[in-house]
Amino acid sequence: MRAVIQRVTRASVTVDGSVISQIGTGLCVLLGVTHGDGAPEVEKIARKIAQLKVLRAADGTDEPNSRRSAEEAQAPVLLVSQFTLYADVRKGRKPSWSKAAPGEIADPLYEAVVRELRETYGLEVATGQFGAMMDVELVNDGPFTLLVEVEPASA
């Protein structure tokens, strides 16, 4: 699994002209699923999302030693499925999507990450709409963006 984790002051998802999800200060996470991902990767990526110390301190300072995790701050997460994180652009000008898991595999794993964040870490999780054309709007705080990759156990 791959996740682009962005610290945001606000983020939202719009589908067909209607806002379907939005959060204030927290994390906007774009999540990609590949072949071989399963329950171990769900647990690992959810733990990273919940426990990485990337949010500002309670007093608003942004010193590395004072940062908090989403779990500590009980900050919301906007989680959006994004198969394009597994694009292969090494050859030619057209991306290949062969490394992205198909929807019937990716959707249940995406939903499992949502459940893991809610049930294990007690986080408020707003979501995109799997498979829909979405407008994702955010204000990146910092900017602060991380790419986290959890290799499938079968890789």
Side-chain angles (χ1 to χ4, degrees):
M1 287 187 173
R2 286 182 182 157
V4 174
I5 301 172
Q6 299 170 92
R7 185 174 73 185
V8 298
T9 56
R10 68 178 181 275
S12 65
V13 175
T14 301
V15 175
D16 293 329
S18 297
V19 175
I20 64 164
S21 292
Q22 60 186 354
I23 63 167
T25 300
L27 299 176
C28 180
V29 180
L30 308 175
L31 182 71
V33 178
T34 192
H35 307 279
D37 282 340
E41 292 74 31
V42 166
E43 292 172 13
K44 288 176 188 174
I45 204 81
R47 184 172 49 250
K48 286 289 186 185
I49 293 167
Q51 295 183 341
L52 279 172
K53 293 185 177 280
V54 296
L55 296 173
R56 292 177 185 274
D59 64 4
T61 59
D62 194 28
E63 296 300 317
N65 291 333
S66 65
R67 290 188 184 134
R68 301 176 296 159
S69 68
E71 182 181 32
E72 291 168 331
Q74 282 299 288
V77 175
L78 176 60
L79 188 68
V80 179
S81 177
Q82 189 166 357
F83 76 93
T84 60
L85 291 178
Y86 276 101
D88 184 350
V89 296
R90 291 176 294 174
K91 295 182 182 176
R93 295 177 291 169
K94 292 183 183 177
S96 167
W97 311 116
S98 63
K99 292 184 180 182
E104 61 269 11
I105 294 171
D107 187 22
L109 292 173
Y110 165 77
E111 291 296 336
V113 173
V114 171
R115 277 192 310 279
E116 186 78 8
L117 290 169
R118 287 176 177 160
E119 295 171 8
T120 302
Y121 300 100
L123 296 176
E124 172 194 334
V125 182
T127 62
Q129 183 177 330
F130 191 90
M133 180 60 73
M134 296 175 275
D135 293 332
V136 179
E137 194 170 357
L138 60 94
V139 176
N140 193 314
D141 179 19
F144 200 111
T145 302
L146 301 173
L147 174 62
V148 175
E149 186 157 14
V150 175
E151 294 289 334
S154 61

